[in-house]
Amino acid sequence: MEILAIETSCDETGIALLRATGGLRAPRFEVLENLVASQIKIHRPFGGVVPNLAKREHLKNLPILFRRLLARREAERKPFKPDIIAVTVGPGLEPALWTGIEFAKGLAKRYAVPLVGANHLEGHLYSFLLPSRAAGAYTSSLAALRKRVFPAVALIVSGGHTVLLRMESFAKWKRLGETRDDAAGEAFDKAARLLDLPYPGGPEIEALARRGNPAAIAFPRPMLDQQNYDFSFSGLKTALLYYLRSAEEARPADVAASFEQAAVDVLAAKARRAAESCAAESILLSGGVAANKHLRKAIGRTAALIGANFFVPDFKYNLDNAAMIGAAGYLARLRKKKYPLRANGALDI
Ligand code: KG4
Ligand code: ZN
């Protein structure tokens, strides 16, 4: 079936068109179009996402992206006849979510097709199934399904969430742990601010860290030794703040590299413990922070060490996008999971 998908939970407006086949056991996706309009430049002066600005930009961008999608289909002489429309209903910023929901409702009416609510976190969770052009180091959906996936341990690390799940199948999972305070991405963003780096901080810290020594500063590894699967990142941020206040001469690259190492160590250690205790066949890594090469490598190494497969989405599907929402919509429909078609900022996974 063809799925038109819409994502407006935060500061990226996304519209995608996918072809989905294979059902719940062996879902496969072909991404026909994946358009994203980023608002980073608009929010940057404020050091974070401003909900009402995000809403205004989504309202402006949605019709532009949709017209572009139609034009591209037309140029390729491909018909535009989606079977369903999927839209993110949460979690995220409610004013932003509503813009996508209202727009999707309009389209569902115009094309007389069902509208399916999608969970943004499930979008990240399933994003490893989206095909990657660069086969090889990582995965494509076909390659993924030839390897054993379940039971799997999934680590979702984004700007708003840090969650560890144990998955039995594409339809069944249990939450093992989560962050007790800041999300991993939030910690990167706050650390960047302390280092006078622009928003979003993750990519900035990663770039600066490349020139630094990750062992230069012994930042704490919060909750590393606790026998649970929870995380805490606000202590790490505070340690960084105190370090910057007290250090006579702080080399920003060393600070960034040491901070990144501390965050990566904790994430990798807990993912490993979870995977071992679940006898996981694979570890899945997703969310914006999964764009971090250091983290990808560390989790990949962890998986290899314990003989598990490692699945991570192609770089273009780590950050918010609508293609992953199409995947989430397809699988939610197969799971008969019906999310109400209204914004739910605190929707859980
Ligand atoms: O998944 P995402 O695009 O949005 C949410 O659902 O929250 O994640 C955005 C988060 C931001 O906090 C950003 O700083 C972080 O992902 N991020 C990174 C990197 N790229 C993005 N964190 C660490 N390293 C990166 N390369
Ligand atoms: Zn996200």
Side-chain angles (χ1 to χ4, degrees):
M1 71 162 59
E2 274 192 23
I3 305 169
L4 178 72
I6 292 170
E7 153 67 32
T8 62
S9 69
C10 193
D11 58 348
E12 323 279 355
T13 316
I15 298 194
L17 188 66
L18 285 81
R19 189 169 295 135
T21 53
L24 254 187
R25 283 182 162 264
R28 284 182 193 171
F29 299 99
E30 194 184 334
V31 180
L32 307 172
E33 296 291 344
N34 185 36
L35 306 178
V36 184
S38 172
Q39 306 174 4
I40 283 178
K41 282 201 193 105
I42 286 157
H43 298 285
R44 189 163 268 171
F46 304 94
V49 180
V50 184
N52 277 321
L53 275 184
K55 173 182 167 178
R56 188 193 73 188
E57 290 301 303
H58 289 310
L59 284 172
K60 191 182 86 192
N61 290 332
L62 281 166
I64 297 175
L65 288 190
F66 183 62
R67 274 199 301 273
R68 192 178 304 157
L69 184 138
L70 288 184
R72 289 171 67 114
R73 297 309 281 168
E74 213 165 289
E76 290 183 32
R77 297 180 192 288
K78 302 267 171 59
F80 176 74
K81 274 205 287 182
D83 298 291
I84 61 169
I85 298 178
V87 64
T88 309
V89 295
L93 305 168
E94 292 194 354
L97 289 163
W98 273 119
T99 64
I101 296 169
E102 292 302 335
F103 190 76
K105 278 185 181 167
L107 292 182
K109 213 170 191 186
R110 188 189 315 168
Y111 292 97
V113 291
L115 179 58
V116 179
N119 181 321
H120 183 86
L121 291 173
E122 289 173 15
H124 281 304
L125 180 66
Y126 295 136
S127 58
F128 81 101
L129 291 166
L130 299 171
S132 111
R133 235 168 245 171
Y138 297 118
T139 180
S140 77
S141 54
L142 291 176
L145 294 164
R146 257 180 259 126
K147 292 184 187 169
R148 287 190 69 92
V149 178
F150 302 112
V153 160
L155 176 62
I156 307 173
V157 271
S158 72
H161 296 82
T162 304
V163 194
L164 255 179
L165 306 173
R166 175 199 161 102
M167 290 180 85
E168 308 305 328
S169 68
F170 288 115
K172 195 169 165 216
W173 58 78
K174 194 181 97 191
R175 175 190 288 266
L176 294 173
E178 65 200 305
T179 183
R180 300 218 178 141
D181 39 59
D182 293 353
E186 198 178 348
F188 273 88
D189 293 338
K190 287 180 175 169
R193 214 173 302 159
L194 293 174
L195 286 166
D196 286 325
L197 298 169
Y199 174 85
E204 302 285 335
I205 296 260
E206 176 169 15
L208 185 59
R210 224 170 288 144
R211 289 181 273 121
N213 172 7
I217 305 147
F219 285 129
R221 269 66 174 158
M223 301 184 71
L224 184 68
D225 298 320
Q226 289 184 22
Q227 295 302 313
N228 56 36
Y229 302 111
D230 286 344
F231 303 91
S232 163
F233 288 104
S234 84
L236 178 56
K237 174 209 65 193
T238 310
L240 188 144
L241 174 69
Y242 288 152
Y243 176 81
L244 290 176
R245 272 194 198 151
S246 64
E248 304 245 308
E249 211 184 344
R251 233 190 118 237
D254 285 346
V255 178
S258 302
F259 173 86
E260 184 183 66
Q261 187 65 52
V264 165
D265 279 355
V266 180
L267 291 166
K270 295 259 167 158
R272 175 178 182 162
R273 195 177 299 149
E276 280 180 327
S277 87
C278 300
E281 292 283 357
S282 75
I283 302 182
L284 318 183
L285 175 68
S286 64
V289 184
N292 186 287
K293 294 201 185 76
H294 194 153
L295 178 64
R296 287 165 96 96
K297 241 187 238 156
I299 304 280
R301 223 180 293 127
T302 298
L305 257 169
I306 61 172
N309 290 315
F310 173 51
F311 298 117
V312 66
D314 193 67
F315 281 106
K316 62 177 172 288
Y317 301 124
N318 282 291
L319 298 179
D320 291 347
N321 64 85
M324 70 182 197
I325 298 308
Y330 177 67
L331 291 163
R333 192 172 159 88
L334 294 175
R335 283 160 39 214
K336 303 203 174 6
K337 174 82 195 168
K338 283 195 179 145
Y339 289 105
L341 290 167
R342 52 172 188 268
N344 181 353
L347 185 65
D348 225 327
I349 190 165

